[in-house]
C-alpha cells in the first residue's frame, strides 16, 4: 500500500485510494485512477481500477466485490460511464473475478496485461 500511496501523492487528483476495513480489521486496499491519459497524448482519457488487494485469508468473502462496487459508485458520481481494469493473464489470475462482476474482456493489451471494461 505504501507504494500505491506514494503514486497517489505524486498524481494529485488522479488517484482515489481507500483502505477496506471490516469490524476494525484492515482486510484490503483499493485505488482507482481518475481521468488518466491512457496513451499520453490526450486522445483517450479513462478512469478505473488501479489496484485491488485483499488479504489472502480474507479472499472469497465479498470484499473484492465491495471494493469494485465502491469504485464504480465513485466513478458514476463523477459522471464516468466506463470503469477500466487490467490484469495479468494466467491460471491463478483475477480474470474470472472481473468477468463475474460484469467486466468485458477487450482485445486491447497494456504491458502484456488484458484490459477489461465495465459499463456504468
Amino acid at each position: 500500500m505504501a507504494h500505491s500511496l506514494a503514486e497517489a501523492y505524486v498524481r494529485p487528483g488522479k488517484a482515489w485510494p481507500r483502505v477496506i476495513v471490516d469490524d476494525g480489521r484492515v482486510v484490503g486496499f483499493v485505488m482507482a485512477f481518475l481521468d488518466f491519459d491512457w496513451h499520453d497524448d490526450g486522445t483517450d482519457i479513462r478512469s478505473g481500477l488501479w489496484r485491488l488487494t485483499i488479504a489472502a485469508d480474507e479472499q472469497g468473502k465479498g470484499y473484492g466485490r465491495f471494493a469494485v462496487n465502491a469504485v464504480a459508485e465513485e466513478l458514476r458520481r463523477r459522471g464516468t460511464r466506463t470503469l477500466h481494469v487490467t490484469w495479468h493473464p494466467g491460471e491463478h489470475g483475477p480474470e474470472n473475478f472481473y468477468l463475474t462482476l460484469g467486466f468485458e474482456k477487450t482485445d486491447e493489451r497494456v504491458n502484456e496485461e488484458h484490459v477489461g471494461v465495465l459499463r456504468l
Side-chain angles (χ1 to χ4, degrees):
M1 285 191 302
H3 178 75
S4 295
L5 292 174
E7 287 180 318
Y9 179 76
V10 298
R11 292 182 176 94
K14 296 296 182 182
W16 189 77
R18 297 293 186 268
V19 174
I20 304 164
V21 178
D22 185 19
D23 198 27
R25 297 179 348 271
V26 174
V27 298
F29 176 79
V30 64
M31 187 163 74
F33 60 90
L34 308 170
D35 301 326
F36 185 79
D37 188 352
W38 197 254
H39 299 290
D40 293 326
D41 64 3
T43 63
D44 191 4
I45 306 300
R46 300 183 186 185
S47 296
L49 189 61
W50 193 349
R51 298 260 161 57
L52 175 59
T53 304
I54 304 297
D57 57 338
E58 301 292 349
Q59 293 180 10
K61 298 178 181 178
Y63 298 120
R65 177 181 298 273
F66 169 82
V68 172
N69 287 337
V71 169
E73 184 57 35
E74 179 62 19
L75 294 184
R76 276 189 206 97
R77 188 186 71 74
R78 292 170 180 260
T80 304
R81 298 290 173 241
T82 55
L83 189 164
H84 290 83
V85 66
T86 62
W87 65 82
H88 291 286
E91 181 180 347
H92 301 290
E95 181 173 310
N96 286 337
F97 169 74
Y98 290 123
L99 296 178
T100 299
L101 293 178
F103 283 87
E104 298 171 13
K105 187 175 170 182
T106 69
D107 293 330
E108 185 178 7
R109 301 284 185 277
V110 174
N111 299 325
E112 300 181 25
E113 292 186 347
H114 294 285
V115 176
V117 64
L118 178 67
R119 309 277 178 226
L120 304 175

